[in-house]
Amino acid sequence: MSDLRELYQEVILDHNKHPRNFGEIEGADRHADGYNPLCGDRLAVYLNLDGERITDVAFLGSGCAISKASASLMTDAIKGRTVAEARALFGRFHAMITDDADAPPPEGVGKLAVLAGVRDYPTRVKCASLAWHTLRAACDDLHEPVTTE
Amino acid sequence: MALMSSPAEAAAPALDVERIREDFPILKRLVREHRLVYLDSAATTQKPRAVLDALARYYAQGNANIHRGVYVLSEEATAAYDAARVKVQRFLNAAASREIVFTRNTTESINLVAQSFGRRNIGPGDEIVITHMEHHSNIVPWQLLCEQVGARLRVAPIDDSGTLQLDALEGLLGPRTRLVSVVHLSNSLGTINPVEDIVAMARARDIPVLIDGSQAVYHMPVDVQALGCDFYVCTGHKLYGPTGIGVLYGREALLEQMPPYQGGGDMIRSVTFEKTTYADLPHKFEAGTPHISGAVGLGAAVDYIQGIGFDALVPHEADLLEYGTAALAEVKGLRIIGTAARKASILAFVMKGAHPHDVGTIVDTEGVAIRTGHHCTQPVMDRYGVPATARASVAMYNTREEIDALVRALHRVREMFPV
């Protein structure tokens, strides 16, 4: 059970049940759709930008607890940051969830650290990264849905 | 065949499951510090020692390329490969071993029929009838064919229990229908289709029938002559055999008139730059060096299953399905997907408030292996309005205790995702 609590921490279960910034932003400056063909998870990310700064962000979709919590935590983490900062955070986050189990505790990821347990479950990495891939597509203003495959 | 038999009937030829489990070395493995509880046989079955030994013995003692070798090893390998074909022929009760073509898997068997039989016999405006519960491997090859020749795919519906609506299927059979291709046992619902009735309906109209027996062949006896189907396809790795070896049964008259699927060595009689003539059945459809060890392993698997016997295996698995259906019903907020009257092996379900992927990960921490996702049947998921399901599937080596372990693990899921 302790292993499992490492993955499904209370914060994750809470964000799954009560996702933050959940919904659509009407007339958003940017939006992208993401799809994980492995499990059928779909989500959309909406952004409002003031120049390079992300002034508002929201997501909508269905998925497992990991993907939903990750999307919710992501929106909290990037709101008010610049696009470049969000990209850099994705880099650190991705490194964290794909590190081997013995890697030192992640730095500079803030609350996202609760998702570090994902690295022990390789098949779930895509669940945790779907929202971030979709965010990147929104930042790049891509109109084709992104997939994790 | 009523697979949901009463306990009294089920008791008849008892299967010694503990002895069977001894034959499967992997079942002793620990996973995350728990004894492995393998409930994903619908994806692939585990392999008995008889199959592992046959593979090892072939490579250690008998490895050579088949056909045209004039030395002992090649003669032995050829004989072993041919013997495997005869074993499969008897297992499916085909009339002749030349009606058994070795392929890579069920998918390749269906693609072979689509591209060889289909391109020769199906044209613009013609129709192919399938059902809503087909695996993608019995959908996509026909969609490709339809694009190539301008034919149309028609889909017979299923009801909420996952039962095929037979009248609706019959209604789709018309003057343009050139083939009916249906699954025998659904991999995502567990439904056993009334293939005898489907064949009768189609034959009355001179329409050939392909049956996808990928899931069926290891849960029930199959007699292709009694069924009267034109093609029957299955795969070795679900038959307790190796991966990479599949089977296409085709009626000789149809196989004879079909052009080769792939060209190359072994499928020819003679080759010149002006004209090539093709080998006799079944070699016409087996271009290149085949999966010799795979065939040998499959032969050993078929021997193993027949040694156990369906008389013992069918009631054992029916008991597990019945027991599992009742046990899962006790888990709060769990809904079984696929509740047809005639079912085998498959227990697919969704849990309120818990995504199937989370269910799969949590039960895995207890050593319980189940499959989660769309099971290559996205139209079925759409039919039930779910993105995915969790699926437990039983085979001959499973026990009631393993079902209990699954249920205990599902209670863990419920603790973590309360409703």
Side-chain angles (χ1 to χ4, degrees):
Chain A
M1 200 71 177
S2 58
D3 276 6
L4 212 48
R5 284 290 173 198
E6 196 68 19
L7 179 64
Y8 292 102
Q9 300 197 21
E10 284 304 329
V11 178
I12 292 175
L13 295 175
D14 178 55
H15 276 262
N16 172 52
K17 209 160 182 188
H18 309 288
R20 323 294 197 261
N21 306 301
F22 189 72
E24 186 179 340
I25 299 176
E26 292 278 337
D29 293 335
R30 300 276 177 83
H31 116 266
D33 295 312
Y35 177 50
N36 181 349
L38 183 72
C39 55
D41 287 358
R42 285 173 193 281
L43 65 84
V45 170
Y46 303 88
L47 293 179
N48 275 338
L49 297 172
D50 179 8
E52 278 296 295
R53 193 161 296 280
I54 298 167
T55 54
D56 199 8
V57 53
F59 81 102
L60 199 58
S62 68
C64 63
I66 303 296
S67 78
K68 220 164 153 187
S70 179
S72 174
L73 285 157
M74 176 189 83
T75 57
D76 268 354
I78 63 166
K79 202 184 277 190
R81 298 210 191 194
T82 65
V83 168
E85 285 167 349
R87 284 182 203 276
L89 184 59
F90 181 25
R92 292 195 295 277
F93 175 75
H94 197 265
M96 173 184 83
I97 59 173
T98 53
D99 266 347
D100 63 50
D102 302 328
E107 284 176 23
V109 293
K111 280 186 182 171
L112 302 179
V114 296
L115 283 159
V118 169
R119 64 188 175 197
D120 292 332
Y121 298 84
T123 56
R124 306 304 301 276
V125 167
K126 285 170 180 170
C127 309
S129 58
L130 176 62
W132 288 92
H133 285 292
T134 312
L135 169 71
R136 188 165 63 185
C139 292
D140 292 345
D141 213 5
L142 299 177
H143 298 289
E144 287 291 306
V146 292
T147 83
T148 52
E149 293 302 297
Chain B
M1 177 172 36
L3 288 186
M4 292 286 227
S5 49
S6 72
E9 283 169 329
L15 183 106
D16 187 350
V17 68
E18 287 311 320
R19 213 212 48 162
I20 284 175
R21 291 179 69 81
E22 289 294 313
D23 294 337
F24 290 81
I26 206 170
L27 297 179
K28 292 205 162 54
R29 218 201 112 149
L30 295 183
V31 171
R32 298 190 194 275
E33 294 164 18
H34 294 268
R35 175 68 69 84
L36 168 66
V37 173
Y38 188 73
L39 294 171
D40 194 21
S41 293
T44 194
T45 50
Q46 296 302 343
K47 318 307 175 197
R49 197 179 300 280
V51 170
L52 306 179
D53 288 350
L55 292 172
R57 199 164 49 238
Y58 170 74
Y59 278 123
Q61 304 288 334
N63 177 53
N65 209 334
I66 55 170
H67 301 150
R68 296 172 312 282
V70 294
Y71 54 95
V72 169
L73 277 187
S74 178
E75 285 166 358
E76 285 178 0
T78 304
Y81 185 69
D82 291 345
R85 195 190 307 279
V86 172
K87 287 175 185 188
V88 172
Q89 174 216 335
R90 291 186 181 145
F91 183 68
L92 297 176
N93 194 34
S97 67
R98 57 187 175 278
E99 294 182 320
I100 301 295
V101 176
F102 283 132
T103 61
R104 273 192 306 144
N105 44 38
T106 301
T107 299
E108 189 175 55
S109 297
I110 296 175
N111 277 279
L112 190 162
V113 175
Q115 291 302 311
S116 172
F117 173 85
R119 292 191 90 154
R120 169 127 328 167
N121 296 289
I122 299 172
D126 287 343
E127 295 178 351
I128 300 156
V129 172
I130 62 170
T131 80
H132 201 119
M133 68 178 92
E134 300 307 323
H135 189 282
H136 295 163
S137 64
N138 199 24
I139 301 173
V140 184
W142 306 117
Q143 289 176 325
L144 290 169
L145 177 68
C146 285
E147 275 174 30
Q148 289 159 349
V149 303
R152 192 153 82 108
L153 196 60
R154 308 293 304 272
V155 182
I158 57 176
D159 69 16
D160 290 343
S161 74
T163 305
L164 175 64
Q165 295 183 286
L166 200 56
D167 291 349
L169 182 139
E170 185 163 32
L172 291 176
L173 305 181
R176 302 311 301 265
T177 313
R178 293 290 173 267
L179 184 76
V180 175
S181 190
V182 296
V183 69
H184 196 166
L185 195 175
S186 154
N187 74 308
S188 54
L189 298 166
T191 310
I192 300 171
N193 278 320
V195 286
E196 304 82 357
D197 297 338
I198 295 168
V199 170
M201 285 172 180
R203 294 205 86 169
R205 297 165 174 84
D206 284 329
I207 302 165
V209 179
L210 182 151
I211 299 173
D212 170 3
S214 207
Q215 293 294 337
V217 284
Y218 64 109
H219 294 303
M220 64 185 86
V222 171
D223 179 334
V224 292
Q225 292 187 80
L227 280 175
C229 58
D230 299 274
F231 300 105
Y232 196 97
V233 295
C234 59
T235 193
H237 72 93
K238 295 195 210 290
L239 260 174
Y240 303 97
T243 54
I245 185 82
V247 173
L248 163 65
Y249 157 78
R251 271 204 303 121
E252 185 172 354
L254 285 177
L255 292 179
E256 278 293 356
Q257 53 117 324
M258 284 160 54
Y261 173 50
Q262 294 181 329
D266 258 358
M267 53 74 71
I268 51 84
R269 180 171 293 137
S270 75
V271 175
T272 66
F273 288 120
E274 290 70 38
K275 179 158 180 65
T276 290
T277 55
Y278 306 124
D280 291 334
L281 292 176
H283 311 291
K284 180 171 79 174
F285 293 110
E286 293 182 3
T289 297
H291 189 4
I292 307 166
S293 66
V296 169
L298 176 57
V302 163
D303 282 345
Y304 180 79
I305 296 169
Q306 289 180 320
I308 305 292
F310 282 107
D311 286 350
L313 187 156
V314 170
H316 171 67
E317 293 184 1
D319 173 70
L320 291 176
L321 181 64
E322 193 172 8
Y323 183 79
T325 303
L328 289 188
E330 299 296 313
V331 179
K332 202 173 159 197
L334 183 148
R335 176 163 70 109
I336 291 181
I337 303 286
T339 51
R342 292 179 76 209
K343 268 188 77 174
S345 178
I346 307 286
L347 284 162
F349 58 93
V350 290
M351 288 175 77
K352 196 168 179 230
H355 190 279
H357 251 189
D358 297 316
V359 174
T361 292
I362 293 168
V363 304
D364 176 55
T365 61
E366 305 274 313
V368 180
I370 61 170
R371 192 143 290 253
T372 56
H374 53 58
H375 315 290
C376 292
T377 56
Q378 284 184 339
V380 171
M381 302 299 114
D382 293 342
R383 171 70 176 73
Y384 285 90
V386 295
T389 67
R391 181 191 71 186
S393 52
V394 300
M396 65 162 95
Y397 39 64
N398 290 119
T399 64
R400 284 186 174 202
E401 289 70 32
E402 291 182 302
I403 302 280
D404 293 340
L406 168 66
V407 171
R408 274 197 305 277
L410 293 177
H411 285 305
R412 282 277 162 84
V413 175
R414 204 66 299 170
E415 282 167 29
M416 203 158 280
F417 294 90
V419 283

